[in-house]
Every structure is written in structure tokens, then in C-alpha cells.
Amino acid sequence: MRKPIIIGNWKAHKSLVQAQAWAQDLVQNWPQKGVGTEIVLAPSFIHLAFFKDFLSKKNLPIKLSAQDVSASPEGAYTGEVTAPMLSGLSDYVLIGHSERRNYFKETEEILKKKVERSLEAGLKIIYCVSGAQMAVPEGVTIVGYEPLFAIGSGKPDNPENANRIAGEIKSKYPAEVVYGGSVKPDNAQDFIRQSNIDGLLIGGASLKAQDFLEIIKNAV
Ligand code: PGA
């Protein structure tokens, strides 16, 4: 089996100073024997360049992800961050998070465009859905199963149910499935033990470097 993939999604949190403090905290608490998971960090766009430089200087095996990407190509679209702008900076991109769908009214049509642009730019896609009935565009290699009731609520899905849904997603799409929704250091292992769950997508608990590391340690 391949290593579990642990993804930290900071959402709209942290100034540059706070991001730098988190990074220092991570280095100071990094396990001496190394880590047994793949790690992906999705900070705000504005922190990607800092982290790219920091991670290579410290030689830490962490990949970066953007939290979103524009559906537009490069061009006169003030304020947008396009897929070609991310290439070389970020390996992954999160697309279709329920917060993007709900608060920013991103439709399936918009999400499909985001996927296409990202694939053209060579980004790997973590595509979020809240259930197995939702469509996953072609080219997606990681699906994040995040039930709406579990996001930020402190009430995670039942691990067996999450496993069942991850299995349904896998029967429809050739992708790995990560579970997200109120994952904490004390429940990470319950999810990672499930046969259809290949990793975890972590919001709130990724904001403290020590909690994030605790999840990483518990997820092997
Ligand atoms: P949470 O968020 O861990 O804070 O529940 C997960 C997510 O929305 O990716």
C-alpha cells in the first residue's frame, strides 16, 4: 500500500508572520525518525512562495497545494490566480471545496473548467465532493470526501460510513480518496485504518503545527 496522504487546508487563515511562526514550530517539532506519510500543505496563495523557499531550505518532504485556481486562462482578469501562474510553485490544487461551491457559487461547469486548466498546467487535483453521487471530472487523481455536516463542526463522519462512501467513489472513478471533516489527532487513525481511505484532508487541526504533526504521526 502506498503511504497515506495527509493534506492540511488552512482556508482563509494566517498572516505572513503567523505562517512563518507555524513553519518554525513545524521544524522544531519534526520527528527525528522522519515521517511515514506524504504531506501536502494548502496555505493561502500569498504564502506559497514563502513555503516553497522555506521547505527547500529546510529540506522538508512536504508538497504544496493551492486552495483554488481560476477558471480563466492567463490574461486580463484582475485579481485571478491562474493555473499557469501556479505551475512551478504548487504541485497540487484543491478544486470544488464545499465552501467554494456554497459561498462563491461555483457550479459544476466552472469546476470542470478549473480542472481542465489545472491539468493543462500539470497540477495534480484534489477534487472535493460531499457524497458519492457527485460528479468527478476526468483527470482527477485524488477525491476528497467531505460530508457537509462534518466540516468544521467537531462531528466527523463515522469511519465505517466514510469507508463505504470512499469505496463507492472508487468504484466509479479511478482515484484515491481522502476523508475530510473534523479530523483531529485523536480520530485520525480511525479513518486511516479503513481500507478505502487513502489519506486525510484537515482544516482546523492543520492550523497548529503540533496538532498537524500529531495527526501525521498517528496516520501510519
Ligand atoms: P475541518 O475542515 O477539518 O476544519 O473540519 C476540513 C475541510 O473543510 O477541508
Side-chain angles (χ1 to χ4, degrees):
M1 202 189 90
R2 98 167 182 77
K3 289 180 187 173
I5 177 164
I6 307 298
I7 306 156
N9 171 15
W10 278 6
K11 309 190 179 184
H13 291 282
K14 294 197 191 293
S15 65
L16 179 59
V17 169
Q18 290 168 331
Q20 288 167 334
W22 185 98
Q24 287 303 343
D25 208 9
L26 188 84
V27 170
Q28 271 157 22
N29 290 284
W30 193 261
Q32 276 194 348
K33 61 179 172 68
V35 291
T37 66
E38 291 206 18
I39 307 173
V40 178
L41 181 66
S44 160
F45 287 131
I46 63 166
H47 301 318
L48 287 171
F50 158 70
F51 269 109
K52 186 171 165 64
D53 184 52
F54 182 87
L55 295 172
S56 95
K57 275 193 191 130
K58 302 284 177 186
N59 204 16
L60 289 181
I62 298 181
K63 300 269 199 269
L64 292 172
S65 175
Q67 295 176 14
D68 184 28
V69 64
S70 178
S72 303
E74 246 180 346
Y77 304 100
T78 301
E80 288 294 87
V81 176
T82 63
M85 288 161 73
L86 288 171
S87 79
L89 189 58
S90 180
D91 295 289
Y92 291 84
V93 59
L94 280 171
I95 297 179
H97 192 282
S98 65
E99 288 151 16
R100 302 295 320 167
R101 294 178 193 254
N102 296 338
Y103 302 141
F104 304 99
K105 308 289 170 230
E106 294 191 4
T107 60
E108 301 264 309
E109 198 185 335
I110 293 173
L111 298 177
K112 195 162 168 279
K113 277 203 189 126
K114 293 187 172 199
V115 167
E116 285 164 8
R117 304 264 180 242
S118 299
L119 289 172
E120 281 158 19
L123 298 166
K124 289 183 216 147
I125 298 160
I126 304 158
Y127 192 85
C128 300
V129 298
S130 57
Q133 76 289 354
M134 288 172 76
V136 174
E138 219 177 297
V140 168
T141 48
I142 301 178
V143 174
Y145 161 57
E146 298 204 302
L148 297 180
F149 65 83
I151 297 177
S153 64
K155 296 190 177 74
D157 199 352
N158 166 312
E160 287 76 32
N161 188 57
N163 188 49
R164 187 178 59 76
I165 295 187
E168 275 183 49
I169 295 170
K170 284 183 166 178
S171 72
K172 290 167 71 178
Y173 303 104
E176 295 184 288
V177 177
V178 299
Y179 168 77
S182 297
V183 175
K184 305 283 181 242
D186 63 358
N187 64 18
Q189 214 169 44
D190 301 337
F191 288 99
I192 220 69
R193 272 202 204 115
Q194 305 295 328
S195 57
N196 293 318
I197 296 179
D198 303 299
L200 303 168
L201 178 49
I202 297 143
S206 69
L207 292 172
K208 274 197 189 151
Q210 294 186 33
D211 287 352
F212 191 48
L213 279 175
E214 203 55 38
I215 291 175
I216 289 162
K217 281 188 226 157
N218 290 350
V220 281

